Amino acid sequence: MIKAYSTDYRTRLCEFFSKIIETHKAYISHGELQMGVALDSNELAPDYQEAWLKYLDRQVANPDNTLLLYLDEEEITGFILFGITEDGAAPYGQVFDLSVDPAYRGKHIGQELLQRATTSFRERGVKDCYLESGVNNHSAHRFFEHHGFQQVSDIFRLKL
């Protein structure tokens, strides 16, 4: 069942995210580096959960963003965080995070969550949707390509 996020789920969502990122470092992209969740593409920050909760709180405070949870009973098995950004030539959609518990993959949970986001974008007149993914997150890349996404750039970092 898909349900809108409420702060009642804040701690459980952080635990879910932690389980995913600790066991699948390929999830780390430049977003996690910029947020302070990760120190490098394969290393989480010591206080990564606190950094992620700050990020979460900022994102859900933005009225242009939506966070949906996929629940099995009351257990979080997936989530998607998405929103509309208006700093381009035209408003565009962004999928900030999409994750499904590995034990629940192949059950169309990610597809349902992604479909909710893209339907929301279309209903609001948005023509393009972007997302980022860790450079080595090949299973996610295949999933997104299967759903019509095409790679349009690479992101590089210089550590100063």
Side-chain angles (χ1 to χ4, degrees):
M1 162 177 101
I2 296 177
K3 182 175 185 174
Y5 170 81
S6 72
T7 55
D8 296 341
Y9 289 97
R10 185 176 184 265
T11 300
R12 286 193 287 160
L13 183 56
C14 184
E15 291 167 357
F16 175 84
F17 175 79
S18 298
K19 180 174 88 171
I20 296 296
I21 203 163
E22 286 176 8
T23 59
H24 188 63
K25 299 285 191 321
Y27 188 94
I28 297 171
S29 69
H30 79 281
E32 284 74 31
L33 296 169
Q34 291 170 327
M35 288 182 286
V37 169
L39 302 175
D40 208 336
S41 61
N42 200 27
E43 182 182 0
L44 294 170
D47 62 345
Y48 81 90
Q49 290 174 325
E50 292 169 36
W52 191 78
L53 285 170
K54 286 180 187 176
Y55 160 78
L56 174 67
D57 294 342
R58 278 192 316 271
Q59 291 289 57
V60 299
N62 183 336
D64 291 325
N65 294 345
T66 302
L67 175 54
L68 299 176
L69 307 173
Y70 200 101
L71 303 173
D72 182 11
E73 308 271 323
E74 277 295 303
E75 180 183 351
I76 298 172
T77 57
F79 77 96
I80 188 167
L81 173 60
F82 62 94
I84 295 177
T85 303
E86 299 202 23
D87 66 356
Y92 58 92
Q94 280 188 272
V95 174
F96 301 109
D97 278 298
L98 171 62
S99 187
V100 175
D101 185 317
Y104 288 83
R105 291 185 185 158
K107 298 176 189 256
H108 305 289
I109 292 171
Q111 178 179 318
E112 286 184 50
L113 290 167
L114 185 59
Q115 186 173 24
R116 288 281 187 104
T118 56
T119 297
S120 175
F121 293 147
R122 285 185 186 101
E123 288 173 350
R124 295 173 64 188
V126 171
K127 304 289 184 208
D128 289 306
C129 174
Y130 296 91
L131 58 82
E132 63 171 284
S133 181
V135 68
N136 293 314
N137 199 354
H138 304 296
S139 60
H141 302 167
R142 285 189 299 276
F143 171 82
F144 293 124
E145 288 169 351
H146 177 76
H147 289 91
F149 284 81
Q150 296 175 341
Q151 183 179 2
V152 295
S153 67
D154 289 312
I155 295 173
F156 296 85
R157 176 177 85 156
L158 173 63
K159 199 149 168 72
L160 303 174

